[in-house]
Amino acid sequence: MDLWVKFTSIAVVAGAILAGVAAKADAANDRFKEVLERGTLRVGVQGAYPPWSYRDPDGRLVGIEPDLAADVAEKLGVKLELVQIESANRMQLLQQGRIDLILGAMSDLPERRKVVGMVQPAYWVSGANVMAKAGLIKSWEDLSGKPLCAKQGLFYNTVIAQAYDAKIISFSGNTETKQALRSGKCAAWLSDDTAIQQSLRTEGWDGYEMPLKSRYHSYWAAGVPLDERDGIWGKFMTGMTHGWHASGKLTELAEKWKVVADPWFEAEHEKLLEADNTKMDSQ
């Protein structure tokens, strides 16, 4: 049997639902019920973050996260409505009931867990990396003594400056940062690897590359209403993200959308696949 079918079968989804029913007796399940009664799942996704989520020439929201959203809706047996969100309003839209689920490049941070139900396991990962002219930088140690353009406020700016003796030149935004790189004010652009891949893909950086293995990772979680994290909706989404890893679907989407998959994906795939096989053998 095909792995994806095997791990996202109705049995897996049903198991996640039953686990949610048995979770906390007082867990709210209103949003999950509303989705089924409405017959439509409203998923918040980014609108300008290719290839994770963006609008194509016809204005449709497409990308990795819309593909994942479509899979969730299919497993629920409902229609899909994609709602464009911004990083600044995604949690508020979920709290206000205007969306049912966030799949929008949202890092799982302690302060966010106070307002949103962060689904585990995470479905994506990002980390610090650099973009530089091909061949200029081959290791993190090569950053020593080099000027790096970076956006102000990134937590890893100070970490990398101290760890590799790099010289950070800060700018208010990524646009100014990349302009400084083009004009030769720095040797490389230090940023999130997803932002770098987006720029390499869409902005004509011929002769540039992302040469390093990413470090200082953050993990992207699907978000459900906080009071439904331990209910049916949260457990259902845990089953979905588990299945995406165990089946290899996430690495397949990385290949489809031409994204460099972090080694974390393969490690999670092997870990969860082994866990599922162990459970099946014990039954």
Side-chain angles (χ1 to χ4, degrees):
M1 180 184 296
D2 179 79
L3 281 175
W4 178 232
V5 176
K6 174 180 178 181
F7 289 104
T8 57
S9 63
I10 296 300
V12 172
V13 175
I17 294 175
L18 290 174
V21 172
K24 295 171 66 176
D26 60 346
N29 297 307
D30 291 345
R31 191 71 59 86
F32 182 81
K33 294 175 183 176
E34 289 175 10
V35 169
L36 297 182
E37 292 172 358
R38 189 191 313 125
T40 302
L41 173 66
R42 303 166 304 177
V43 181
V45 296
Q46 298 280 351
Y49 202 46
W52 286 270
S53 185
Y54 64 103
R55 290 194 180 275
D56 69 8
D58 295 324
R60 299 174 302 177
L61 287 165
V62 297
I64 293 171
E65 290 169 330
D67 282 356
L68 293 174
D71 189 49
V72 177
E74 179 184 352
K75 296 301 182 298
L76 286 171
V78 298
K79 297 178 181 179
L80 174 64
E81 177 184 343
L82 295 174
V83 179
Q84 183 172 332
I85 59 172
E86 305 293 340
S87 296
N89 70 2
R90 56 194 169 191
M91 292 186 289
Q92 289 82 356
L93 292 176
L94 184 67
Q95 290 176 311
Q96 294 165 2
R98 296 165 64 183
I99 57 176
D100 308 305
L101 175 69
I102 299 173
L103 287 172
M106 181 173 63
S107 295
D108 185 358
L109 301 174
E111 60 269 23
R112 291 176 178 169
R113 289 191 172 204
K114 298 176 183 179
V115 294
V116 172
M118 295 290 185
V119 175
Q120 296 298 311
Y123 68 91
W124 210 266
V125 65
S126 61
N129 212 311
V130 299
M131 182 170 78
K133 289 185 177 180
L136 178 63
I137 295 173
K138 298 181 180 179
S139 70
W140 284 94
E141 289 68 26
D142 287 345
L143 300 180
S144 178
K146 290 185 171 63
L148 304 181
C149 292
K151 181 180 177 181
Q152 294 174 353
L154 298 177
F155 79 91
Y156 45 72
N157 288 355
T158 301
V159 175
I160 290 173
Q162 294 176 347
Y164 302 105
D165 191 32
K167 302 182 185 302
I168 305 297
I169 304 174
S170 298
F171 296 85
S172 60
N174 281 331
T175 299
E176 296 84 356
T177 305
K178 288 181 282 187
Q179 288 175 346
L181 175 62
R182 285 192 188 276
S183 64
K185 294 181 180 178
C186 49
W189 169 37
L190 172 63
S191 187
D192 185 278
D193 55 10
T194 58
I196 293 173
Q197 291 185 69
Q198 175 191 10
S199 295
L200 287 170
R201 180 186 177 94
T202 63
E203 297 176 2
W205 288 89
D206 294 339
Y208 285 77
E209 64 179 356
M210 186 177 74
L212 305 177
K213 288 186 177 180
S214 298
R215 295 184 176 179
Y216 312 107
H217 291 91
S218 61
Y219 299 90
W220 299 4
V224 299
L226 182 60
D227 60 354
E228 300 202 23
R229 180 189 59 195
D230 297 320
I232 296 176
W233 194 204
K235 296 298 181 180
F236 180 94
M237 284 307 304
T238 291
M240 291 298 302
T241 56
H242 182 112
W244 292 337
H245 280 291
S247 68
K249 183 175 181 67
L250 296 172
T251 53
E252 291 174 4
L253 286 174
E255 292 177 3
K256 172 184 175 181
W257 292 98
K258 296 179 174 58
V259 171
V260 178
D262 190 276
W264 173 80
F265 287 98
E266 184 61 28
E268 287 292 293
H269 167 67
E270 294 295 335
K271 180 178 71 175
L272 296 179
L273 179 60
E274 181 179 357
D276 283 344
N277 285 335
T278 299
K279 288 180 181 179
M280 293 177 66
D281 291 342
S282 64
Q283 294 176 352

